[in-house]
Amino acid sequence: MADERAIGIFDSGLGGLTVAKEIIRRLPQENIVYFGDTGRVPYGTKSRDTIRKYACQDERFLLEQNVKLIVAACGTVSSVAADTGEGLPVDFVEVVSHSVSAAVKATKNGKIGVLGTAATVRSGAHKKQILQQLPSATVVENAATLFVSLVEEGWYTADDPVVLETVRRYVEPMQAAGVDTLILGCTHFPVLSEAIARVMGKDVTLINMGAATAEVIAKMLEEKDMLNTASSQKHRFFVSDKADSFCKTASVLLGEKIDENLVETVHVDAL
Ligand code: DGL
């Protein structure tokens, strides 16, 4: 039986559209409801308590949209507030554990790098989970704080010297340690994949958390007989603030043009 309810995806802002992009690519027959908390972004520089409070409100908003599954696309939320998804009336999927499993599967030398926001790296969530699965692993983490600003500024191409130099500085410790696998543990980082790959070299596997998570969601919906088999799809996008640069940034992150008229502004701070 077709479950036509949408997959709910939330993020601190527009970055989670990179995860939405992978879910849409893997499950083109599914409807998506996306909420980006653009009025309160960034989460990555905020305290654990604030991130948890925001995550709970984001989840409540998606529940009100009658979704069948909630995805925390945000690396920061998934690292410090994944337990806010426990006990929800629908399944909850975060992006850290699936990226970790993909990295552990991909590594040959057991040396894994993790790039994320300051809050993500401070939480140590990736390292803890990697070591649970592969106790002999070497894990090198670094907070690539400027990456989010670079992408939002539209500076992400692999031939931009500013981009390449910034990437170089953040991945230096990973290169020094000889990692062969690098988790892009933040929503915006896949946009910099080409530049990161150019600096790291072709022998290093980059883990895209959206792609890893989309695979798990596909399996989960299939096993639970919750796939949407209806033929017409309708995605809905909500944000908590619509800045002038909204369309440009959103289109870069989603990889396709978003019609601004289809994006609704909502307030979730009272939920
Ligand atoms: N979405 C956030 C993440 O993946 C990045 C932006 C922010 O700091 O809120 O960690």
Side-chain angles (χ1 to χ4, degrees):
M1 207 182 74
D3 189 338
E4 291 180 29
R5 289 176 301 163
I7 296 174
I9 305 174
F10 77 92
D11 178 47
S12 56
L14 300 176
L17 291 170
T18 60
V19 175
K21 173 183 170 181
E22 297 299 333
I23 294 174
I24 292 168
R25 197 201 319 251
R26 179 67 182 79
L27 291 161
Q29 77 282 15
E30 295 296 329
N31 296 308
I32 302 292
V33 172
Y34 182 90
F35 172 65
D37 197 3
T38 47
R40 303 190 294 196
V41 69
Y43 286 7
T45 52
K46 299 208 164 63
S47 70
R48 191 181 136 85
D49 284 351
T50 300
I51 296 164
R52 293 174 64 79
K53 184 177 104 184
Y54 289 175
C56 289
Q57 291 170 332
D58 302 344
E59 288 155 14
R60 280 199 280 271
F61 172 73
L62 286 178
L63 282 177
E64 283 182 358
Q65 310 311 309
N66 188 33
V67 295
K68 61 181 168 188
L69 168 74
I70 290 183
V71 183
C74 183
T76 303
V77 168
S78 299
S79 297
V80 308
D83 58 321
T84 59
E86 287 167 16
L88 292 177
V90 295
D91 282 316
F92 175 83
V93 177
E94 42 70 44
V95 288
V96 170
S97 59
H98 314 303
S99 321
V100 163
S101 300
V104 166
K105 206 166 151 202
T107 186
K108 291 193 176 68
N109 69 6
K111 293 177 181 174
I112 300 173
V114 181
L115 292 171
T117 62
T120 294
V121 169
R122 197 171 55 232
S123 78
H126 291 85
K127 186 169 185 171
K128 204 169 121 204
Q129 293 186 35
I130 291 169
L131 293 175
Q132 272 164 4
Q133 291 188 32
L134 188 65
S136 62
T138 301
V139 185
V140 187
E141 298 175 287
N142 206 3
T145 329
L146 288 178
F147 279 5
V148 171
S149 312
L150 276 182
V151 172
E152 302 228 339
E153 191 65 22
W155 297 0
Y156 52 82
T157 54
D159 51 11
D160 182 331
V162 176
V163 173
L164 288 172
E165 185 50 31
T166 311
V167 169
R168 227 169 251 132
R169 298 240 187 145
Y170 285 127
V171 302
E172 233 165 43
M174 279 102 194
Q175 291 182 304
V179 307
D180 70 352
T181 306
L182 179 57
I183 298 178
L184 307 181
C186 171
T187 47
H188 290 62
F189 299 1
V191 177
L192 292 163
S193 284
E194 224 183 297
I196 297 171
R198 189 174 290 190
V199 175
M200 292 301 290
K202 61 173 173 29
D203 294 335
V204 173
T205 306
L206 303 183
I207 304 294
N208 176 323
M209 57 188 198
T213 305
E215 215 38 68
V216 171
I217 292 171
K219 232 177 249 151
M220 180 191 268
L221 292 180
E222 197 183 339
E223 274 168 19
K224 296 193 168 195
D225 199 16
M226 286 171 71
L227 286 167
N228 181 18
T229 49
S231 54
S232 69
Q233 279 67 49
K234 193 171 173 284
H235 303 320
R236 288 151 70 212
F237 298 95
F238 297 90
V239 291
S240 51
D241 187 36
K242 220 189 275 183
D244 290 346
S245 57
F246 167 81
C247 266
K248 200 174 124 232
T249 310
S251 303
V252 166
L253 291 156
L254 187 65
E256 62 183 86
K257 211 166 158 30
I258 287 191
D259 179 355
E260 190 170 350
N261 299 317
L262 294 179
V263 183
E264 273 178 60
T265 305
V266 289
H267 298 288
V268 298
D269 38 4
L271 290 177

